[in-house]
Amino acid sequence: MAHGQGRTNTTVAIIGAGFSGTCTAIDLIKRNQCRDFVILEKGLEVGGTWSDNTYPGCCCDVQSHLYSYSFEPNSNWSREFPTQAEIQRHMVSVAEKWGLYRHIRFNSTVSEGRWNEERKKWDIAVNIGSGKEAEYGEQYTLKADFLISGVGQLNQPYYPEIRGLENFSGKVMHSARWDWTYPINGKRVAIIGNGATAAQIIPEVAKQAISLTVFQRTPNWVVPRNDTAISVSRRTAYHYIPAIRKRYRSQLMDMREDFFQAASVPDTKEKDGIRKDCLEMMARSIPSNTELRAKLTPVYPPGCKRVICSDDFFPALNRSNVTLQTDPIEQITRTSISTSGKRSHEHEIDCLILATGFKTQQFLFPMEIYGSQGRSLSDVWKEAPSAFRGVNVESMPNFGILYGPNTNLGHNSIVLMIEAQSRYLNALIGKVIAAKKAGLLLALSPKPAVIESYNKWLQERLQKSTFADPRCQSWYKTAEGRILNNWCGTVVEYQQMMSKVQWQNYEIEDPGNFMVSRGAFDQIGRVVEESSFLQKSLDGVLIGSSVLFAGAFLWPRTRL
Ligand SMILES: Cc1cc2nc3c(=O)[nH]c(=O)nc-3n(C[C@H](O)[C@H](O)[C@H](O)COP(=O)(O)OP(=O)(O)OC[C@H]3O[C@@H](n4cnc5c(N)ncnc54)[C@H](O)[C@@H]3O)c2cc1C
Ligand SMILES: NC(=O)c1ccc[n+]([C@@H]2O[C@H](COP(=O)([O-])OP(=O)(O)OC[C@H]3O[C@@H](n4cnc5c(N)ncnc54)[C@H](OP(=O)(O)O)[C@@H]3O)[C@@H](O)[C@H]2O)c1
C-alpha cells in the first residue's frame, strides 16, 4: 500500500464493511456527493455478519424482502428467509453497483482512533493483517475529518470460560469461525448453546453426525418460521411491477411492527400467542417424549430472550442420534465433556461446536478510542456504554456509531435501524464537509446533559419492557439488569426520532457559522416502510393486476 498523501488522508473513515459501513458509504455518495471516504475492514469480504457466519444452516430470521436496504430492493430473493450465501452475494452486488470496492481496504484492522484537537481530525491506527503490504509496514495512520464505527454488536465471538476447554484435543469451532474443511460426517459432536445460532446449526449437523449432544443451559421460546421458496412467477411479478414488491415489503413491516407487542411489551395477548404456537409445534414435533418437552419449555415470558424462529429445531431434537443435555457442564477433558447434576456423566466427543454467542456488551471492542482532551471511550463508558440516540458519544467529536448502544431489536429488521442512523449521521457529516470545502474546520459532539436525559428516558422505558424481566438473563442486558443493547420502542418510533437533527443538542465549534439553522432543527425525513391508508386501499387493484400478470406470464409456457 502506498502511504502517500491520498492514502493517509480522507474526509470520512468508516470501520467495517457490513450493512452499517456500506450504508453509510452509499449515503455519503447519495446525500453528500462525497467520494472521499475509506472503508477499513478487518476481513477479506463485504458482508460483516453475513461473511463471518458461514456455519451450516445460517440464514436470516427476518424475511429478506424487509431485511435489505429500502433503496436496493431485490426482486429475486429465492426464499422468504434466504441463506447466508445469498444475503452476502446481494451485499456484494450492492457494493459493486455503488463502486464501493475502490474505497474498501480489506485485511485492515483499526486498533485505535485518536482525536487531534488542533487539527480537528481523527488519527486512525490501521493494522495490516498479512500479505505483501504487511511486509513493508504493519501499521499506518489514516487521518479523517469524521470517524464512523460500523463494527456491529455481534462481531466478536464469545468463548465460554469452561474449565479444561483449552485441553480438548478434538476439533473446536466457534459458530462464527466455521471450518468447512473439517468433515462432520460420522463424528461424535457436541454443541454448547441453544440460541438462534445453535437452532440453525443443530438440524444440519444432526443429519451428518453419528451423534449430537446439545448442551442447553436455558430453554428458548421457538415459533414456526414458515420458510418457503418464492416462486418464479412471484419474482417476475416483483421485477416487472415494483409496486407489488413494495407493497409486500410494507406488509412485512406492518407484521414485524405488530410483533413488537409480542416480543417487547409485558403481559400482552400476543405473548400468549407465542406460547401457544411454541407448545403446539413442540407437541407436533416431539409427540411422545414429555420429559424432553418439559426440558424445552421456558419459565420466563417470550421476548425476554430472543424468540427463535425455526421449523426444524424441535424435529431435530427428536432424532434418535440427538440428545439434549441440561445438566450443568463441569469441565472439558482431552476427549470429553463432563456434566454434574444428579448423575455425573462423561460425554466422549470428537468435535465441539461453541454456539455461545458474542461479546455484546463491549461495544467497539477491542479498539481504543480517545476523544476531546484525550478522554478514552472506556472512561466515558466506565459506568455503562451509552450514546445519544445510539449514534453519538460524549467527548467524541465528529464521531458516529451505527448499530451502537440501545439500537438492537427483538421484533424487526436491524437494517431499518441502520438506514435511519446512516441518514442521520450523514446530516452531521454534511456540515463538516461544507465547512471543509470553505477551508474551515468544524467539530460537533453531543452535549453531555442531552445524552444524560435521553438515556434516563430510554432506560425508564426499557425497565418497563419484557427485556428487563428478571426471570431471564440475555445478551441484551448486564448481570445487574441494565439493558445496553436494545432500543425501547418500535422501528417507526426510532425512525421518527431520527428524522430531525436538533442542532441545540450539539456542542459546535464552528468558525464559519455553518450551522445555518443553529438553535432550530433540520428535517431530514425517514423512509416510510409501514403501509399507508392509500396502499391498503390499493391492495385489491394490485392483487388483480398480479393475477393478470401471472396469467399472462404463465399462459404461453403452459401451452408449450
Ligand atoms: C448469525 C446471525 C444472524 C443474524 N440474523 C439477523 C436477522 O435475521 N435479522 C436482523 O435484523 N439481524 C440479524 N442479525 C444481526 C446482524 O448482526 C445485523 O442485522 C447486521 O448485519 C449488523 O451489521 P453491521 O454492519 O452493523 O455489523 P456487522 O455485520 O457485524 O459488520 C461489522 C464489520 O466490521 C468489521 N470490523 C470489526 N471490527 C473491526 C476493526 N477493528 N477494524 C476493521 N474492521 C472491523 C467486521 O469484520 C465486520 O465486517 C444476525 C446476526 C448474526 C450473528
Ligand atoms: N437470523 C437468525 O435466525 C439469527 C441466527 C443467529 C444469530 N442471530 C442473532 O445473533 C444473536 C446471538 O445469537 P447466538 O445464538 O449466536 O448467541 P446467544 O443468543 O447469546 O446464545 C448463546 C448460547 O450459548 C449458551 N452459553 C453461553 N455460555 C455458556 C456456558 N458457559 N455454558 C453453557 N452454555 C452457554 C447460552 O446459554 P444461556 O441462554 O443460558 O445464556 C445460549 O444458549 C441472536 O440473538 C440474534 O440476534 C440471529
PDB file of all heavy atoms in Angstrom, residues 155-184:
ATOM      1  N   ASN A 155     -19.924  -9.070  16.440  1.00  0.00           N
ATOM      2  CA  ASN A 155     -18.791  -9.476  15.588  1.00  0.00           C
ATOM      3  C   ASN A 155     -17.602 -10.048  16.346  1.00  0.00           C
ATOM      4  O   ASN A 155     -16.670 -10.537  15.730  1.00  0.00           O
ATOM      5  CB  ASN A 155     -18.387  -8.338  14.635  1.00  0.00           C
ATOM      6  CG  ASN A 155     -17.355  -7.411  15.244  1.00  0.00           C
ATOM      7  OD1 ASN A 155     -16.155  -7.655  15.155  1.00  0.00           O
ATOM      8  ND2 ASN A 155     -17.810  -6.368  15.902  1.00  0.00           N
ATOM      9  N   GLN A 156     -17.655 -10.033  17.691  1.00  0.00           N
ATOM     10  CA  GLN A 156     -16.558 -10.633  18.468  1.00  0.00           C
ATOM     11  C   GLN A 156     -17.056 -11.925  19.105  1.00  0.00           C
ATOM     12  O   GLN A 156     -17.841 -11.887  20.059  1.00  0.00           O
ATOM     13  CB  GLN A 156     -16.098  -9.671  19.584  1.00  0.00           C
ATOM     14  CG  GLN A 156     -15.404  -8.417  19.105  1.00  0.00           C
ATOM     15  CD  GLN A 156     -13.996  -8.689  18.597  1.00  0.00           C
ATOM     16  OE1 GLN A 156     -13.351  -9.663  19.015  1.00  0.00           O
ATOM     17  NE2 GLN A 156     -13.517  -7.861  17.696  1.00  0.00           N
ATOM     18  N   PRO A 157     -16.632 -13.081  18.614  1.00  0.00           N
ATOM     19  CA  PRO A 157     -17.112 -14.345  19.184  1.00  0.00           C
ATOM     20  C   PRO A 157     -16.835 -14.428  20.681  1.00  0.00           C
ATOM     21  O   PRO A 157     -15.780 -13.980  21.153  1.00  0.00           O
ATOM     22  CB  PRO A 157     -16.286 -15.404  18.447  1.00  0.00           C
ATOM     23  CG  PRO A 157     -15.840 -14.754  17.199  1.00  0.00           C
ATOM     24  CD  PRO A 157     -15.684 -13.293  17.507  1.00  0.00           C
ATOM     25  N   TYR A 158     -17.812 -14.980  21.413  1.00  0.00           N
ATOM     26  CA  TYR A 158     -17.611 -15.192  22.848  1.00  0.00           C
ATOM     27  C   TYR A 158     -17.234 -16.656  23.075  1.00  0.00           C
ATOM     28  O   TYR A 158     -17.992 -17.567  22.717  1.00  0.00           O
ATOM     29  CB  TYR A 158     -18.892 -14.831  23.624  1.00  0.00           C
ATOM     30  CG  TYR A 158     -18.855 -15.301  25.060  1.00  0.00           C
ATOM     31  CD1 TYR A 158     -17.985 -14.708  25.980  1.00  0.00           C
ATOM     32  CD2 TYR A 158     -19.655 -16.358  25.501  1.00  0.00           C
ATOM     33  CE1 TYR A 158     -17.916 -15.163  27.290  1.00  0.00           C
ATOM     34  CE2 TYR A 158     -19.595 -16.811  26.808  1.00  0.00           C
ATOM     35  CZ  TYR A 158     -18.729 -16.215  27.694  1.00  0.00           C
ATOM     36  OH  TYR A 158     -18.652 -16.666  28.987  1.00  0.00           O
ATOM     37  N   TYR A 159     -16.046 -16.864  23.661  1.00  0.00           N
ATOM     38  CA  TYR A 159     -15.591 -18.212  24.002  1.00  0.00           C
ATOM     39  C   TYR A 159     -15.863 -18.414  25.487  1.00  0.00           C
ATOM     40  O   TYR A 159     -15.364 -17.643  26.303  1.00  0.00           O
ATOM     41  CB  TYR A 159     -14.096 -18.377  23.685  1.00  0.00           C
ATOM     42  CG  TYR A 159     -13.825 -18.393  22.188  1.00  0.00           C
ATOM     43  CD1 TYR A 159     -13.647 -17.204  21.476  1.00  0.00           C
ATOM     44  CD2 TYR A 159     -13.799 -19.592  21.485  1.00  0.00           C
ATOM     45  CE1 TYR A 159     -13.441 -17.215  20.097  1.00  0.00           C
ATOM     46  CE2 TYR A 159     -13.592 -19.618  20.106  1.00  0.00           C
ATOM     47  CZ  TYR A 159     -13.416 -18.425  19.420  1.00  0.00           C
ATOM     48  OH  TYR A 159     -13.223 -18.450  18.064  1.00  0.00           O
ATOM     49  N   PRO A 160     -16.655 -19.419  25.854  1.00  0.00           N
ATOM     50  CA  PRO A 160     -17.056 -19.552  27.260  1.00  0.00           C
ATOM     51  C   PRO A 160     -15.876 -19.925  28.156  1.00  0.00           C
ATOM     52  O   PRO A 160     -14.916 -20.547  27.693  1.00  0.00           O
ATOM     53  CB  PRO A 160     -18.069 -20.694  27.216  1.00  0.00           C
ATOM     54  CG  PRO A 160     -17.705 -21.493  26.023  1.00  0.00           C
ATOM     55  CD  PRO A 160     -17.149 -20.531  25.027  1.00  0.00           C
ATOM     56  N   GLU A 161     -16.011 -19.494  29.412  1.00  0.00           N
ATOM     57  CA  GLU A 161     -14.960 -19.873  30.374  1.00  0.00           C
ATOM     58  C   GLU A 161     -15.376 -21.168  31.042  1.00  0.00           C
ATOM     59  O   GLU A 161     -16.088 -21.169  32.041  1.00  0.00           O
ATOM     60  CB  GLU A 161     -14.787 -18.756  31.401  1.00  0.00           C
ATOM     61  CG  GLU A 161     -14.025 -17.576  30.824  1.00  0.00           C
ATOM     62  CD  GLU A 161     -14.243 -16.300  31.598  1.00  0.00           C
ATOM     63  OE1 GLU A 161     -14.589 -16.384  32.787  1.00  0.00           O
ATOM     64  OE2 GLU A 161     -14.087 -15.232  30.984  1.00  0.00           O
ATOM     65  N   ILE A 162     -14.964 -22.271  30.433  1.00  0.00           N
ATOM     66  CA  ILE A 162     -15.313 -23.591  30.981  1.00  0.00           C
ATOM     67  C   ILE A 162     -13.997 -24.297  31.301  1.00  0.00           C
ATOM     68  O   ILE A 162     -13.084 -24.335  30.463  1.00  0.00           O
ATOM     69  CB  ILE A 162     -16.144 -24.418  29.970  1.00  0.00           C
ATOM     70  CG1 ILE A 162     -17.462 -23.684  29.654  1.00  0.00           C
ATOM     71  CG2 ILE A 162     -16.421 -25.819  30.521  1.00  0.00           C
ATOM     72  CD1 ILE A 162     -18.305 -24.339  28.576  1.00  0.00           C
ATOM     73  N   ARG A 163     -13.925 -24.811  32.528  1.00  0.00           N
ATOM     74  CA  ARG A 163     -12.684 -25.447  32.965  1.00  0.00           C
ATOM     75  C   ARG A 163     -12.257 -26.540  31.978  1.00  0.00           C
ATOM     76  O   ARG A 163     -13.064 -27.390  31.595  1.00  0.00           O
ATOM     77  CB  ARG A 163     -12.898 -26.047  34.362  1.00  0.00           C
ATOM     78  CG  ARG A 163     -11.650 -26.608  35.021  1.00  0.00           C
ATOM     79  CD  ARG A 163     -11.781 -26.526  36.524  1.00  0.00           C
ATOM     80  NE  ARG A 163     -12.910 -27.309  37.006  1.00  0.00           N
ATOM     81  CZ  ARG A 163     -12.824 -28.562  37.462  1.00  0.00           C
ATOM     82  NH1 ARG A 163     -11.656 -29.181  37.494  1.00  0.00           N
ATOM     83  NH2 ARG A 163     -13.889 -29.197  37.903  1.00  0.00           N
ATOM     84  N   GLY A 164     -11.014 -26.470  31.549  1.00  0.00           N
ATOM     85  CA  GLY A 164     -10.447 -27.528  30.712  1.00  0.00           C
ATOM     86  C   GLY A 164     -10.656 -27.358  29.206  1.00  0.00           C
ATOM     87  O   GLY A 164     -10.146 -28.152  28.424  1.00  0.00           O
ATOM     88  N   LEU A 165     -11.380 -26.305  28.795  1.00  0.00           N
ATOM     89  CA  LEU A 165     -11.665 -26.126  27.352  1.00  0.00           C
ATOM     90  C   LEU A 165     -10.383 -26.169  26.520  1.00  0.00           C
ATOM     91  O   LEU A 165     -10.326 -26.787  25.450  1.00  0.00           O
ATOM     92  CB  LEU A 165     -12.424 -24.804  27.136  1.00  0.00           C
ATOM     93  CG  LEU A 165     -12.729 -24.386  25.701  1.00  0.00           C
ATOM     94  CD1 LEU A 165     -13.538 -25.440  24.955  1.00  0.00           C
ATOM     95  CD2 LEU A 165     -13.493 -23.060  25.662  1.00  0.00           C
ATOM     96  N   GLU A 166      -9.329 -25.546  27.063  1.00  0.00           N
ATOM     97  CA  GLU A 166      -8.072 -25.472  26.311  1.00  0.00           C
ATOM     98  C   GLU A 166      -7.399 -26.842  26.181  1.00  0.00           C
ATOM     99  O   GLU A 166      -6.519 -27.043  25.335  1.00  0.00           O
ATOM    100  CB  GLU A 166      -7.122 -24.437  26.950  1.00  0.00           C
ATOM    101  CG  GLU A 166      -6.583 -24.734  28.339  1.00  0.00           C
ATOM    102  CD  GLU A 166      -7.623 -24.623  29.476  1.00  0.00           C
ATOM    103  OE1 GLU A 166      -8.781 -24.244  29.224  1.00  0.00           O
ATOM    104  OE2 GLU A 166      -7.270 -24.956  30.622  1.00  0.00           O
ATOM    105  N   ASN A 167      -7.832 -27.816  26.996  1.00  0.00           N
ATOM    106  CA  ASN A 167      -7.192 -29.144  26.933  1.00  0.00           C
ATOM    107  C   ASN A 167      -7.831 -30.083  25.918  1.00  0.00           C
ATOM    108  O   ASN A 167      -7.298 -31.155  25.637  1.00  0.00           O
ATOM    109  CB  ASN A 167      -7.270 -29.842  28.314  1.00  0.00           C
ATOM    110  CG  ASN A 167      -6.576 -29.029  29.375  1.00  0.00           C
ATOM    111  OD1 ASN A 167      -5.598 -28.331  29.080  1.00  0.00           O
ATOM    112  ND2 ASN A 167      -7.081 -29.074  30.595  1.00  0.00           N
ATOM    113  N   PHE A 168      -8.966 -29.674  25.376  1.00  0.00           N
ATOM    114  CA  PHE A 168      -9.679 -30.583  24.467  1.00  0.00           C
ATOM    115  C   PHE A 168      -8.827 -30.846  23.221  1.00  0.00           C
ATOM    116  O   PHE A 168      -8.345 -29.901  22.580  1.00  0.00           O
ATOM    117  CB  PHE A 168     -11.041 -29.977  24.084  1.00  0.00           C
ATOM    118  CG  PHE A 168     -11.866 -30.871  23.220  1.00  0.00           C
ATOM    119  CD1 PHE A 168     -12.326 -32.090  23.708  1.00  0.00           C
ATOM    120  CD2 PHE A 168     -12.173 -30.522  21.905  1.00  0.00           C
ATOM    121  CE1 PHE A 168     -13.089 -32.942  22.902  1.00  0.00           C
ATOM    122  CE2 PHE A 168     -12.928 -31.362  21.097  1.00  0.00           C
ATOM    123  CZ  PHE A 168     -13.385 -32.572  21.600  1.00  0.00           C
ATOM    124  N   SER A 169      -8.641 -32.109  22.884  1.00  0.00           N
ATOM    125  CA  SER A 169      -7.723 -32.415  21.781  1.00  0.00           C
ATOM    126  C   SER A 169      -8.446 -32.592  20.445  1.00  0.00           C
ATOM    127  O   SER A 169      -7.809 -32.690  19.399  1.00  0.00           O
ATOM    128  CB  SER A 169      -6.918 -33.682  22.099  1.00  0.00           C
ATOM    129  OG  SER A 169      -7.827 -34.755  22.255  1.00  0.00           O
ATOM    130  N   GLY A 170      -9.783 -32.644  20.469  1.00  0.00           N
ATOM    131  CA  GLY A 170     -10.527 -32.769  19.217  1.00  0.00           C
ATOM    132  C   GLY A 170     -10.682 -31.410  18.547  1.00  0.00           C
ATOM    133  O   GLY A 170      -9.983 -30.451  18.862  1.00  0.00           O
ATOM    134  N   LYS A 171     -11.641 -31.345  17.621  1.00  0.00           N
ATOM    135  CA  LYS A 171     -11.868 -30.108  16.858  1.00  0.00           C
ATOM    136  C   LYS A 171     -12.786 -29.169  17.652  1.00  0.00           C
ATOM    137  O   LYS A 171     -13.832 -29.585  18.128  1.00  0.00           O
ATOM    138  CB  LYS A 171     -12.524 -30.472  15.524  1.00  0.00           C
ATOM    139  CG  LYS A 171     -12.799 -29.298  14.637  1.00  0.00           C
ATOM    140  CD  LYS A 171     -11.530 -28.758  14.034  1.00  0.00           C
ATOM    141  CE  LYS A 171     -11.791 -27.564  13.160  1.00  0.00           C
ATOM    142  NZ  LYS A 171     -10.536 -26.947  12.692  1.00  0.00           N
ATOM    143  N   VAL A 172     -12.374 -27.889  17.776  1.00  0.00           N
ATOM    144  CA  VAL A 172     -13.239 -26.884  18.410  1.00  0.00           C
ATOM    145  C   VAL A 172     -13.534 -25.802  17.376  1.00  0.00           C
ATOM    146  O   VAL A 172     -12.622 -25.284  16.732  1.00  0.00           O
ATOM    147  CB  VAL A 172     -12.558 -26.215  19.632  1.00  0.00           C
ATOM    148  CG1 VAL A 172     -13.514 -25.224  20.297  1.00  0.00           C
ATOM    149  CG2 VAL A 172     -12.090 -27.237  20.646  1.00  0.00           C
ATOM    150  N   MET A 173     -14.813 -25.471  17.204  1.00  0.00           N
ATOM    151  CA  MET A 173     -15.172 -24.391  16.260  1.00  0.00           C
ATOM    152  C   MET A 173     -16.166 -23.465  16.927  1.00  0.00           C
ATOM    153  O   MET A 173     -17.148 -23.941  17.504  1.00  0.00           O
ATOM    154  CB  MET A 173     -15.884 -24.964  15.033  1.00  0.00           C
ATOM    155  CG  MET A 173     -15.036 -25.740  14.109  1.00  0.00           C
ATOM    156  SD  MET A 173     -15.990 -26.077  12.603  1.00  0.00           S
ATOM    157  CE  MET A 173     -16.647 -27.677  12.956  1.00  0.00           C
ATOM    158  N   HIS A 174     -15.930 -22.167  16.830  1.00  0.00           N
ATOM    159  CA  HIS A 174     -16.984 -21.225  17.193  1.00  0.00           C
ATOM    160  C   HIS A 174     -17.897 -21.080  15.975  1.00  0.00           C
ATOM    161  O   HIS A 174     -17.417 -21.105  14.835  1.00  0.00           O
ATOM    162  CB  HIS A 174     -16.406 -19.866  17.608  1.00  0.00           C
ATOM    163  CG  HIS A 174     -17.442 -18.951  18.199  1.00  0.00           C
ATOM    164  ND1 HIS A 174     -18.319 -18.239  17.425  1.00  0.00           N
ATOM    165  CD2 HIS A 174     -17.776 -18.675  19.484  1.00  0.00           C
ATOM    166  CE1 HIS A 174     -19.143 -17.548  18.212  1.00  0.00           C
ATOM    167  NE2 HIS A 174     -18.831 -17.801  19.466  1.00  0.00           N
ATOM    168  N   SER A 175     -19.185 -20.867  16.232  1.00  0.00           N
ATOM    169  CA  SER A 175     -20.131 -20.789  15.105  1.00  0.00           C
ATOM    170  C   SER A 175     -19.748 -19.704  14.101  1.00  0.00           C
ATOM    171  O   SER A 175     -19.983 -19.851  12.901  1.00  0.00           O
ATOM    172  CB  SER A 175     -21.542 -20.530  15.640  1.00  0.00           C
ATOM    173  OG  SER A 175     -21.547 -19.394  16.478  1.00  0.00           O
ATOM    174  N   ALA A 176     -19.151 -18.606  14.587  1.00  0.00           N
ATOM    175  CA  ALA A 176     -18.801 -17.500  13.686  1.00  0.00           C
ATOM    176  C   ALA A 176     -17.417 -17.684  13.051  1.00  0.00           C
ATOM    177  O   ALA A 176     -16.930 -16.787  12.357  1.00  0.00           O
ATOM    178  CB  ALA A 176     -18.866 -16.176  14.445  1.00  0.00           C
ATOM    179  N   ARG A 177     -16.786 -18.802  13.320  1.00  0.00           N
ATOM    180  CA  ARG A 177     -15.467 -19.104  12.721  1.00  0.00           C
ATOM    181  C   ARG A 177     -15.501 -20.556  12.258  1.00  0.00           C
ATOM    182  O   ARG A 177     -14.703 -21.377  12.691  1.00  0.00           O
ATOM    183  CB  ARG A 177     -14.332 -18.881  13.749  1.00  0.00           C
ATOM    184  CG  ARG A 177     -14.197 -17.465  14.277  1.00  0.00           C
ATOM    185  CD  ARG A 177     -13.652 -16.496  13.208  1.00  0.00           C
ATOM    186  NE  ARG A 177     -13.486 -15.157  13.750  1.00  0.00           N
ATOM    187  CZ  ARG A 177     -14.425 -14.207  13.722  1.00  0.00           C
ATOM    188  NH1 ARG A 177     -15.602 -14.454  13.173  1.00  0.00           N
ATOM    189  NH2 ARG A 177     -14.198 -13.010  14.242  1.00  0.00           N
ATOM    190  N   TRP A 178     -16.449 -20.851  11.394  1.00  0.00           N
ATOM    191  CA  TRP A 178     -16.679 -22.247  10.983  1.00  0.00           C
ATOM    192  C   TRP A 178     -15.563 -22.745  10.072  1.00  0.00           C
ATOM    193  O   TRP A 178     -15.139 -22.023   9.166  1.00  0.00           O
ATOM    194  CB  TRP A 178     -18.018 -22.356  10.249  1.00  0.00           C
ATOM    195  CG  TRP A 178     -18.479 -23.773  10.151  1.00  0.00           C
ATOM    196  CD1 TRP A 178     -18.299 -24.628   9.113  1.00  0.00           C
ATOM    197  CD2 TRP A 178     -19.183 -24.490  11.163  1.00  0.00           C
ATOM    198  NE1 TRP A 178     -18.845 -25.850   9.406  1.00  0.00           N
ATOM    199  CE2 TRP A 178     -19.400 -25.794  10.665  1.00  0.00           C
ATOM    200  CE3 TRP A 178     -19.646 -24.180  12.447  1.00  0.00           C
ATOM    201  CZ2 TRP A 178     -20.063 -26.777  11.401  1.00  0.00           C
ATOM    202  CZ3 TRP A 178     -20.311 -25.156  13.170  1.00  0.00           C
ATOM    203  CH2 TRP A 178     -20.511 -26.429  12.651  1.00  0.00           C
ATOM    204  N   ASP A 179     -15.101 -23.962  10.326  1.00  0.00           N
ATOM    205  CA  ASP A 179     -14.053 -24.539   9.487  1.00  0.00           C
ATOM    206  C   ASP A 179     -14.695 -25.581   8.564  1.00  0.00           C
ATOM    207  O   ASP A 179     -14.972 -26.703   8.974  1.00  0.00           O
ATOM    208  CB  ASP A 179     -12.984 -25.191  10.377  1.00  0.00           C
ATOM    209  CG  ASP A 179     -11.868 -25.819   9.554  1.00  0.00           C
ATOM    210  OD1 ASP A 179     -11.958 -25.795   8.301  1.00  0.00           O
ATOM    211  OD2 ASP A 179     -10.910 -26.338  10.158  1.00  0.00           O
ATOM    212  N   TRP A 180     -14.909 -25.159   7.338  1.00  0.00           N
ATOM    213  CA  TRP A 180     -15.591 -26.035   6.383  1.00  0.00           C
ATOM    214  C   TRP A 180     -14.699 -27.177   5.899  1.00  0.00           C
ATOM    215  O   TRP A 180     -15.166 -28.083   5.223  1.00  0.00           O
ATOM    216  CB  TRP A 180     -16.118 -25.219   5.196  1.00  0.00           C
ATOM    217  CG  TRP A 180     -17.435 -24.611   5.519  1.00  0.00           C
ATOM    218  CD1 TRP A 180     -17.665 -23.364   6.028  1.00  0.00           C
ATOM    219  CD2 TRP A 180     -18.725 -25.229   5.409  1.00  0.00           C
ATOM    220  NE1 TRP A 180     -19.008 -23.164   6.234  1.00  0.00           N
ATOM    221  CE2 TRP A 180     -19.691 -24.297   5.850  1.00  0.00           C
ATOM    222  CE3 TRP A 180     -19.171 -26.477   4.978  1.00  0.00           C
ATOM    223  CZ2 TRP A 180     -21.053 -24.579   5.877  1.00  0.00           C
ATOM    224  CZ3 TRP A 180     -20.533 -26.758   4.992  1.00  0.00           C
ATOM    225  CH2 TRP A 180     -21.451 -25.807   5.439  1.00  0.00           C
ATOM    226  N   THR A 181     -13.402 -27.135   6.215  1.00  0.00           N
ATOM    227  CA  THR A 181     -12.530 -28.240   5.789  1.00  0.00           C
ATOM    228  C   THR A 181     -12.688 -29.441   6.732  1.00  0.00           C
ATOM    229  O   THR A 181     -12.206 -30.523   6.438  1.00  0.00           O
ATOM    230  CB  THR A 181     -11.039 -27.830   5.771  1.00  0.00           C
ATOM    231  OG1 THR A 181     -10.629 -27.541   7.115  1.00  0.00           O
ATOM    232  CG2 THR A 181     -10.798 -26.617   4.880  1.00  0.00           C
ATOM    233  N   TYR A 182     -13.336 -29.197   7.883  1.00  0.00           N
ATOM    234  CA  TYR A 182     -13.485 -30.294   8.844  1.00  0.00           C
ATOM    235  C   TYR A 182     -14.750 -31.102   8.525  1.00  0.00           C
ATOM    236  O   TYR A 182     -15.857 -30.555   8.541  1.00  0.00           O
ATOM    237  CB  TYR A 182     -13.570 -29.728  10.272  1.00  0.00           C
ATOM    238  CG  TYR A 182     -13.714 -30.803  11.324  1.00  0.00           C
ATOM    239  CD1 TYR A 182     -12.615 -31.530  11.752  1.00  0.00           C
ATOM    240  CD2 TYR A 182     -14.961 -31.111  11.860  1.00  0.00           C
ATOM    241  CE1 TYR A 182     -12.749 -32.534  12.702  1.00  0.00           C
ATOM    242  CE2 TYR A 182     -15.106 -32.109  12.808  1.00  0.00           C
ATOM    243  CZ  TYR A 182     -13.999 -32.817  13.220  1.00  0.00           C
ATOM    244  OH  TYR A 182     -14.130 -33.812  14.156  1.00  0.00           O
ATOM    245  N   PRO A 183     -14.614 -32.404   8.260  1.00  0.00           N
ATOM    246  CA  PRO A 183     -15.812 -33.194   7.937  1.00  0.00           C
ATOM    247  C   PRO A 183     -16.555 -33.612   9.204  1.00  0.00           C
ATOM    248  O   PRO A 183     -15.976 -34.219  10.100  1.00  0.00           O
ATOM    249  CB  PRO A 183     -15.236 -34.414   7.204  1.00  0.00           C
ATOM    250  CG  PRO A 183     -13.802 -34.495   7.611  1.00  0.00           C
ATOM    251  CD  PRO A 183     -13.368 -33.187   8.189  1.00  0.00           C
ATOM    252  N   ILE A 184     -17.846 -33.271   9.270  1.00  0.00           N
ATOM    253  CA  ILE A 184     -18.673 -33.613  10.441  1.00  0.00           C
ATOM    254  C   ILE A 184     -19.171 -35.060  10.337  1.00  0.00           C
ATOM    255  O   ILE A 184     -19.445 -35.710  11.337  1.00  0.00           O
ATOM    256  CB  ILE A 184     -19.903 -32.648  10.496  1.00  0.00           C
ATOM    257  CG1 ILE A 184     -19.462 -31.212  10.789  1.00  0.00           C
ATOM    258  CG2 ILE A 184     -20.967 -33.099  11.476  1.00  0.00           C
ATOM    259  CD1 ILE A 184     -19.158 -30.911  12.236  1.00  0.00           C
TER     260      ILE A 184
END
